[in-house]
Structures are given as C-alpha cells and as structure tokens.
Amino acid sequence: MRKYSVQALLLTFVSFLLLFLLSPSIPQPQWYHHFADNRSFFGIPNALNVISNFPFMVIGLIGLVLCHRRSSYFNISLEGELWGWKCFYAGVTSVAFGSSYYHLHPDDASLLWDRIPMTVAFASLMAILIIERIDAKKGIHAIVPLILIGIISNVYWRFFGDIRLYVLAQSAACIAVPLMATLLPPMYTHSPYWLWASGFYLLAMLQETTDRVIYAFTFHTVSGHTLKHLSAAMVPVILTLMLAKRSVYSEKLLHVCNT
C-alpha cells in the first residue's frame, strides 16, 4: 500500500513539473491587491485584513513554546519530527508579521513577505508527513530542501515576474498533505485531524476567491479575505490539538525507528 501511495505522490509531482515546463509564464495579477474591505480603523489601513492576522502569532508562539516542552504537552517521538514542527510554528508565527506588512500596503514587493512564511509552513508539514509515514531519515533530510524550494519559488516570482513556480509549490503541498494523510498508514492516532486542517484551508481559499461576494452579503461588515485569515489560522489550531491528543501506534514507531 505504501509503495503505491508513494508512487502516486511522485507521479503527481512529475505532472506538476511538466505543467510548469510546458505552460507559458504567468505574471502576478495586479487585481489581486485590490481587496473588498479597505477601511481604516485607528489609523491602520485595511484594518481588518491586518488585525485578522493576530491569531497566527498567538497559535504560532504557543506551538513553539509547547514544542520546547514537548514531553509535557506534545506527543512527538522523533527528533527530526520535532524540528519539522518547530519550522512549521516558526512559519505560522511569521505569517502574522508578513501578512500584516503586506496588507498595510498591498503590492508585489510586500506580497513576497506574505508568501514566504506560508511556503515555509507548507514545506514543513510535507516533511513531517514524510518522517511520520514514509521514512524518518529521508523526511529529516527533506526539511531544509523543501523549505528552500518554497523560498526559491517566491524569489523566482519576484525577480522574474512569473508565479508558475510558486503556484506549483503551493499546489503540490495542498494536494500532497491530505493525500499522504489519507493514503499512508499513520504512526499516531487522531490522524483525521490532518483532514480537518486541510478542510479549513480549502475553506480559506474559497473565502479568498469570494472576497467581494462575502463583503456584500454581510452588508460591508466583514470581507471574505478577513474570514480567510481566520479560517487559515484554524489549521495550526487543529494540528496543535492533534499533537496534544494523539498517541503512538507502537508497531509503527518500532518500524520507523528500525529503518
């Protein structure tokens, strides 16, 4: 089962790579920076889109602290796994600052600092699942390369004006995480939490695409993009609960430690 699941993931990656190589260059659409809610409060431009990033900082810092005290709060069995979660929570914490900075003055230059922390968080989750469900050593060695790929995809867009590599990296992570969580045998209990987290991110993407519709539907109270931030922040919240609640499948752990 694991062999065919890994093959399916590799096939998906190759398909995305071919799509990148065969498709024309895609510039960043400038309409992306024009959000429905641009109201200012207390001198803060685009206030709700800025303030709604605060939950990322809260849950990110909580996660980093609890990772430091993992024996008391989190069930993390492998040292490499711990580094993966630390990178994830560092990325989540950085989202609060990068996204707030972007929404204070939305343009291509500030968008770079919004996207880099997100790609770090996504890449860390992919590495964590590789550690847990495929091969611990390969997953540990994959943490830095996956994060670098995410960062390079953003730098490539900023210097060459082409978002294809960024879209590839983000799409690959969005597909790989739920696929690995579904198809590969887990090391821990509470595996469905991965799917709940993926569902909230999918909801966040839907809210982002319906930014103006939601703003009009709520009589200009809250926009889809603001709700997107709150839904996306539920991803680390759910994964934090998973880390606190889960326990080890002993046979799976023994197999991973022996590989």
Side-chain angles (χ1 to χ4, degrees), residues 22-78:
L22 298 176
S23 61
S25 175
I26 304 174
Q28 173 64 48
Q30 292 307 295
W31 54 257
Y32 180 83
H33 305 305
H34 303 149
F35 299 101
D37 187 1
N38 55 15
R39 292 172 296 175
S40 297
F41 298 120
F42 307 108
I44 303 175
N46 309 306
L48 290 185
N49 283 342
V50 172
I51 296 170
S52 57
N53 286 290
F54 182 69
F56 289 107
M57 183 180 69
V58 174
I59 190 61
L61 291 176
I62 289 174
L64 285 171
V65 171
L66 295 184
C67 278
H68 183 67
R69 302 178 178 181
R70 60 170 177 163
S71 58
S72 301
Y73 299 96
F74 284 169
N75 196 327
I76 298 175
S77 304
L78 305 171

Side-chain angles (χ1 to χ4, degrees), residues 205-240:
M205 294 298 96
L206 178 63
Q207 290 166 332
E208 181 179 41
T209 58
T210 55
D211 181 33
R212 296 185 181 277
V213 174
I214 292 175
Y215 193 53
F217 185 76
T218 59
F219 301 101
H220 296 182
T221 302
V222 64
S223 69
H225 201 87
T226 296
L227 293 179
K228 173 220 172 178
H229 289 163
L230 300 178
S231 294
M234 286 299 298
V235 173
V237 169
I238 291 170
L239 295 179
T240 300

Side-chain angles (χ1 to χ4, degrees), residues 101 106 176 192 238 251:
Y101 174 68
I238 291 170
E251 292 183 3

Side-chain angles (χ1 to χ4, degrees), residues 10-181:
L10 289 174
L11 180 61
T12 302
F13 173 78
V14 171
S15 299
F16 274 110
L17 184 60
L18 288 174
L19 182 63
F20 169 76
L21 295 173
L22 298 176
S23 61
S25 175
I26 304 174
Q28 173 64 48
Q30 292 307 295
W31 54 257
Y32 180 83
H33 305 305
H34 303 149
F35 299 101
D37 187 1
N38 55 15
R39 292 172 296 175
S40 297
F41 298 120
F42 307 108
I44 303 175
N46 309 306
L48 290 185
N49 283 342
V50 172
I51 296 170
S52 57
N53 286 290
F54 182 69
F56 289 107
M57 183 180 69
V58 174
I59 190 61
L61 291 176
I62 289 174
L64 285 171
V65 171
L66 295 184
C67 278
H68 183 67
R69 302 178 178 181
R70 60 170 177 163
S71 58
S72 301
Y73 299 96
F74 284 169
N75 196 327
I76 298 175
S77 304
L78 305 171
E79 191 64 30
E81 195 184 357
L82 177 63
W83 280 107
W85 284 110
K86 284 182 177 179
C87 290
F88 169 71
Y89 283 115
V92 170
T93 305
S94 300
V95 166
F97 298 98
S99 184
S100 296
Y101 174 68
Y102 165 62
H103 284 288
L104 287 171
H105 183 68
D107 59 18
D108 284 357
S110 56
L111 181 58
L112 176 68
W113 302 107
D114 180 17
R115 285 178 169 171
I116 285 179
M118 289 192 293
T119 55
V120 170
F122 276 126
S124 300
L125 290 182
M126 289 182 65
I128 289 166
L129 280 168
I130 293 172
I131 292 170
E132 286 187 15
R133 307 196 179 205
I134 298 177
D135 185 282
K137 291 181 181 179
K138 290 179 181 177
I140 292 169
H141 294 153
I143 294 174
V144 173
L146 286 173
I147 290 175
L148 285 177
I149 288 172
I151 294 174
I152 290 169
S153 71
N154 284 281
V155 174
Y156 177 86
W157 154 63
R158 189 69 187 100
F159 277 89
F160 297 100
D162 181 4
I163 65 171
R164 285 181 302 163
L165 198 57
Y166 167 75
V167 172
L168 171 66
Q170 186 187 44
S171 301
C174 290
I175 293 173
V177 167
L179 272 181
M180 285 192 285

